[in-house]
Amino acid sequence: MAARKITRGSPRDHATPGLTGGSPSGMRYGGVESDADAHSADEHEGALAHVLPVKLLLGIFGVLMALTVLTVSVTSFDLGSSANLTVAMVIATIKATLVIAVFMHLFWDRRFNLLLLVTCILFVLLFITLSLNDRAEYQPYIDQLQAAKAAAAQ
Amino acid sequence: MSQSIETPGVSGEQPAAETKLNAVRPGPAEGAERAEEPERHDTPAPAPHGEHPFLQHHFDTPKHQFEAGKLGIWLFLVTEILFFAGLFCAYSVYRSMHPQIFVWAHYYLDTNLGAINTGVLILSSLTAAWAVRSAQLGQRTHLILNVVITIGCAVTFMAIKYVEYSAKFEHGLLWGGRPTAAGTAPKYRFDPHEPVWETHSFATKHPEAASAARKLFAAAHPEGHDRGAATHQRTPVAPPSSGGPPSGSASAAAAAASLPLHAAPSASLGPPAPGGEVALAVADGVALPPGSAAPGSSAAALAPSAAARAPSAAALAPSAAIRSPAANAPPLGPGAASPAPAPATARSSPGDPISLVGSLTQAEALPLLQAGILGPSALDPNVPSRPRNAHIFFGIYFFMTGLHGVHVLAGLLVWVWILTRALRGHFGPKYFGPVDYAALYWHLVDVIWIYLFPLLYLIH
């Protein structure tokens, strides 16, 4: 069991929660040993789920607040409108990733939940990208119309 | 055994966790029971659920139930993301089409309140995650405390939203469009009471541009700035797609009051105004100011020299970039141009607002152009005004933040439910699914706000 755990790498090793310390084995809920082995992709055999350490919670909270201050203060620098937007979106994505990975346990979670989220985000990006492309496609016609209106007005 | 690997942070909670575990679970016998369990799995025993009051009969184990619930909540969250994606798409498309509207509108939003709300939601995310931890460890007091703080944060968020929304309502920053053909105003009519250059945000970011806009506006509305401001902002200038002069009783009066000014592009006017026809809405139908009514001093200050005009020509150039090749686009469209047959006289006196526009320096003109206050995308290109169709921003703003607010309210109710169950001692190491699911939903609401905040409040 312990050997299986190590595969997930360093900070996740405390995925094995301390609350199970007193129990004689990992199977505390009347579950079956072979059943647990079938879920060997799980980090949290034994416990229902990973328990987040307080230090990690507070650390992520501090980083999120610092990034919020950063994203507000970076607005006062003129990097050009698209660069400012890019910086703001990159910071927002870092914040969202921290929240999803740590606060929402996705880092320790079943990979299937991650698959759901990633698929969803891909579709969102596809949706917005195609819509923006489609809009840009018609810009020349709008410009022509504006020019024609301008000519008619003069 | 893997359970012996413990982190220092977690092991500190050990005694509390132990007592809770022992309270719920018949611990000592479990080692002996394990040997029988494989058979029990193959032929389901009738009784094992008796140990777990919240284990539903169709799940084998608490873990089975927890994982199923978690998959369900993730599926729900995925649909929520797709739900909001439609609004993010509308935002992206409209911003890519009309960036100046977003620049203009963000001056009306209170960045401080938005940032405070971001902090409040992040704090509530922390306490929500902490509540899950407390439930997992069976720490009932910590769980209740964290849930209470989360509820407090949700209430604070909605209170700040209330302050923001009522400020928008008071200033006429709403989603409603133009007056209807019958002359009746829509209930939630977009009708900014305060020009954008008078907002605190604009005045601190671009003081030169704000004072220039003020002077230009005063020159165009000599009857008095306050009155002129109100009249100008409330007069329905013909929308570009109306295809004719405004009709209806209310707007007919406005049309009569608006004085068409024919600005002949002459050399003395400096950089030619984009568009030949300019309809200035003046309250009493009084002829436009020129130098007579406008304070000559400010006019002189604004029209310094030919040298000062050269950079202003450069400053006007970005307006072409704002709305690509349509630099000569009719600023008001055919609808506005049609009620303008009156042979107005072209004036080239220093107090003429059109020549004042030409005399702006780059520092004065650029913020005005970028926000669509002047230039081809403005409602009125030669008097400081606002971008056309600016109310659509507030449609997007209210829909996005409003839908998010509804989610916060729903989350608030869920947390109250969690609180009542926590008070009854329902949650412990074997059963904390509802706390975890509520927290997952709550974190998603936080993530959506993490994107909404820079997109709406931090437009540059």
Side-chain angles (χ1 to χ4, degrees):
Chain A
M1 269 176 139
R4 206 169 65 211
K5 285 228 63 63
I6 306 303
T7 56
R8 284 307 310 282
S10 51
R12 285 151 274 178
D13 283 345
H14 44 61
T16 309
L19 66 91
T20 63
S23 69
S25 86
M27 314 324 305
R28 300 171 16 258
Y29 300 111
V32 181
E33 179 87 52
S34 61
D35 192 12
D37 283 339
H39 297 301
S40 62
D42 279 353
E43 289 70 51
H44 38 70
E45 77 254 26
L48 284 190
H50 170 250
V51 179
L52 287 170
V54 170
K55 278 181 189 168
L56 185 60
L57 284 174
L58 291 176
I60 295 296
F61 172 70
V63 172
L64 289 174
M65 289 305 243
L67 286 175
T68 304
V69 173
L70 177 68
T71 192
V72 172
S73 56
V74 86
T75 318
S76 54
F77 298 102
D78 187 3
L79 311 171
S81 67
S82 61
N84 272 104
L85 180 64
T86 309
V87 169
M89 285 299 97
V90 166
I91 293 177
T93 304
I94 292 172
K95 287 166 70 180
T97 309
L98 287 176
V99 170
I100 290 170
V102 180
F103 282 175
M104 296 173 87
H105 301 101
L106 201 56
F107 192 74
W108 298 270
D109 217 343
R110 283 175 185 271
R111 286 293 171 261
F112 188 72
N113 294 341
L114 179 65
L115 180 69
L116 285 179
L117 179 69
V118 169
T119 312
C120 168
I121 290 172
L122 284 180
F123 272 100
V124 169
L125 291 178
L126 193 67
F127 174 42
I128 293 180
T129 312
L130 286 180
S131 302
L132 286 176
N133 277 341
D134 189 55
R135 188 210 69 77
E137 194 72 14
Y138 295 100
Q139 188 61 46
Y141 299 99
I142 298 174
D143 293 339
Q144 279 176 17
L145 184 69
Q146 299 271 358
K149 277 184 180 175
Q154 283 173 357
Chain B
M1 206 185 299
S2 65
Q3 280 69 29
S4 62
I5 305 172
E6 288 174 12
T7 55
V10 173
S11 60
E13 316 289 348
Q14 200 62 21
E18 265 313 295
T19 53
K20 186 68 186 180
L21 274 175
N22 291 334
V24 180
R25 158 175 58 86
E30 188 170 349
E33 280 174 9
R34 269 192 60 224
E36 312 158 13
E37 278 164 8
E39 299 95 65
R40 199 191 273 182
H41 182 65
D42 293 331
T43 54
H49 296 92
E51 311 166 11
H52 313 294
F54 296 109
L55 180 59
Q56 300 298 311
H57 65 87
H58 48 281
F59 292 113
D60 287 340
T61 62
K63 187 179 177 99
H64 185 192
Q65 176 169 319
F66 174 75
E67 295 288 358
K70 195 146 182 170
L71 176 62
I73 196 75
W74 269 107
L75 281 171
F76 171 65
L77 296 187
V78 162
T79 63
E80 287 282 276
I81 294 171
L82 295 173
F83 183 24
F84 273 95
L87 290 174
F88 280 103
C89 184
Y91 174 96
S92 309
V93 167
Y94 201 61
R95 183 166 176 182
S96 76
M97 290 177 79
H98 304 290
Q100 68 283 349
I101 291 179
F102 287 74
V103 174
W104 171 84
H106 98 279
Y107 291 118
Y108 286 103
L109 300 182
D110 194 327
T111 309
N112 290 332
L113 288 183
I116 291 171
N117 255 353
T118 309
V120 166
L121 272 196
I122 290 175
L123 176 64
S124 74
S125 259
L126 170 71
T127 55
W130 205 327
V132 175
R133 176 196 151 85
S134 305
Q136 286 172 317
L137 298 178
Q139 301 166 328
R140 186 160 162 266
T141 317
H142 286 190
L143 170 62
I144 291 169
L145 190 65
N146 277 309
V147 173
V148 166
I149 296 175
T150 308
I151 291 173
C153 286
V155 171
T156 310
F157 182 90
M158 291 314 292
I160 293 176
K161 265 270 149 295
Y162 174 78
V163 171
E164 283 189 87
Y165 276 11
S166 36
K168 300 284 168 302
F169 272 69
E170 277 167 23
H171 292 101
L173 297 165
L174 296 168
W175 53 88
R178 309 154 177 141
T180 58
T184 55
K187 194 172 180 191
Y188 298 107
R189 176 151 166 242
F190 174 70
D191 182 19
H193 300 174
E194 183 185 39
V196 70
W197 55 89
E198 301 290 354
T199 59
H200 177 73
S201 172
F202 191 94
T204 49
K205 278 180 196 161
H206 310 291
E208 308 97 336
S211 67
R214 224 167 272 138
K215 282 171 187 164
L216 284 173
F217 200 83
H221 300 276
E223 310 85 30
H225 181 238
D226 290 340
R227 195 174 153 204
T231 308
H232 177 75
Q233 292 298 325
R234 288 163 184 244
T235 301
V237 179
S241 62
S242 70
S247 59
S249 57
S251 50
S258 72
L259 181 84
L261 162 69
H262 184 70
S266 65
S268 63
L269 284 177
E277 306 282 348
V278 183
L280 290 177
V282 180
D284 308 316
V286 179
L288 258 178
S292 59
S297 57
S298 68
L302 269 173
S305 66
R309 288 187 179 188
S312 73
L316 278 170
S319 70
I322 288 175
R323 209 71 194 91
S324 39
N328 286 330
L332 289 178
S338 56
T345 54
R347 282 162 284 93
S348 55
S349 67
D352 184 341
I354 292 170
S355 62
L356 288 184
V357 169
S359 69
L360 295 178
T361 66
Q362 175 140 6
E364 291 167 342
L366 202 55
L368 299 177
L369 287 166
Q370 284 174 338
I373 299 167
L374 293 176
S377 60
L379 204 56
D380 182 339
N382 293 297
V383 172
S385 55
R386 61 169 188 256
R388 289 194 299 275
N389 292 325
H391 64 278
I392 294 177
F393 173 88
F394 285 97
I396 292 173
Y397 167 83
F398 276 108
F399 209 146
M400 292 185 98
T401 60
L403 189 65
H404 179 267
V406 166
H407 278 79
V408 172
L409 281 179
L412 185 61
L413 293 178
V414 171
W415 280 121
V416 169
W417 173 66
I418 295 288
L419 180 63
T420 61
R421 295 197 62 184
L423 287 170
R424 283 182 278 163
H426 284 187
F427 302 120
K430 291 179 181 175
Y431 180 71
F432 57 86
V435 186
D436 201 13
Y437 310 148
L440 284 174
Y441 169 80
W442 193 253
H443 294 312
L444 186 84
V445 173
D446 183 28
V447 165
I448 287 168
W449 183 260
I450 282 174
Y451 280 98
L452 282 182
F453 171 59
L455 284 177
L456 292 173
Y457 292 82
L458 300 180
I459 295 165
H460 195 83

